[in-house]
């Protein structure tokens, strides 16, 4: 199984032919340029098939080559499959929302302390410092 369709090959072939037309028309006659455009189309078309086949070979998974019956017999290793389904917790969520609307605390939560905003220390500026002292401090902090 290759990645993509033959349309990619056609687009790459046409692109190669047009590039050949642009670069060859100024130095060659129309017949030679047309012949080179056809050759370029064929070469780019075939190279696109080769590129798609190599890309499919690199990106294939080992389970793709096994028949469906054998895929279930392969032991699963931890971390090979990811379950992205979310469990249904709508009943719990609606119960919590009702408790919040009624003003009651949640039953399974611990007693919480009242909210207290952070009070960071004030920044202290150093006016009237000598430039040499500030340069030494900066060098010391940057390790230079």
């Amino acid at each position: 199984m290759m990645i993509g369709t033959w349309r990619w090959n056609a687009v790459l072939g046409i692109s190669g032919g047009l590039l050949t037309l642009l670069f060859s028309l100024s130095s060659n006659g129309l017949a030679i340029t047309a012949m080179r455009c056809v050759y370029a189309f064929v070469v780019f078309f075939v190279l696109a098939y080769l590129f798609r086949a190599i890309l499919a070979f690199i990106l294939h998974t080992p389970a793709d080559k096994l028949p469906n019956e054998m895929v279930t017999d392969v032991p699963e290793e931890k971390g090979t499959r990811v379950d992205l389904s979310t469990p249904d917790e709508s009943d719990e969520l609606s119960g919590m929302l009702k408790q919040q609307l009624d003003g009651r605390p949640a039953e399974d939560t611990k007693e919480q302390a009242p909210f207290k905003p952070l009070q960071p220390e004030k920044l202290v500026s150093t006016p009237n410092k000598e430039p040499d002292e500030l340069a030494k401090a900066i060098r010391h902090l940057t390790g230079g």
Side-chain angles (χ1 to χ4, degrees):
M1 179 177 138
M2 281 198 242
I3 296 174
T5 63
W6 63 270
R7 290 182 185 109
W8 283 106
N9 298 31
V11 167
L12 285 172
I14 291 170
S15 300
L18 288 177
L19 283 174
T20 304
L21 176 72
L22 291 175
F23 290 119
S24 180
L25 193 58
S26 63
S27 60
N28 296 311
L30 190 59
I32 301 281
T33 301
M35 183 178 64
R36 289 184 178 171
C37 287
V38 169
Y39 290 156
F41 174 82
V42 171
V43 168
F44 276 88
F45 193 84
V46 171
L47 283 177
Y49 267 116
L50 181 65
F51 177 74
R52 285 179 38 217
I54 291 171
L55 192 62
F57 179 73
I58 291 171
L59 296 178
H60 87 283
T61 58
D64 289 344
K65 292 192 174 190
L66 295 174
N68 288 339
E69 308 88 42
M70 293 180 66
V71 172
T72 57
D73 295 339
V74 176
E76 286 190 32
E77 296 179 21
K78 290 184 179 179
T80 57
R81 306 223 184 240
V82 178
D83 182 16
L84 297 177
S85 62
T86 306
D88 185 24
E89 297 174 346
S90 58
D91 296 334
E92 292 177 27
L93 180 61
S94 62
M96 289 170 60
L97 289 173
K98 286 179 185 177
Q99 287 177 352
Q100 187 177 12
L101 288 175
D102 293 342
R104 295 181 290 152
E107 294 147 0
D108 57 340
T109 60
K110 295 179 182 176
E111 194 65 35
Q112 294 180 354
F115 176 74
K116 181 176 143 186
L118 291 175
Q119 296 174 348
E121 297 178 12
K122 302 262 183 196
L123 292 176
V124 180
S125 64
T126 56
N128 302 328
K129 288 286 184 180
E130 293 293 324
D132 293 335
E133 290 179 29
L134 291 174
K136 282 182 188 177
I138 291 173
R139 284 190 199 110
H140 177 72
L141 290 174
T142 58

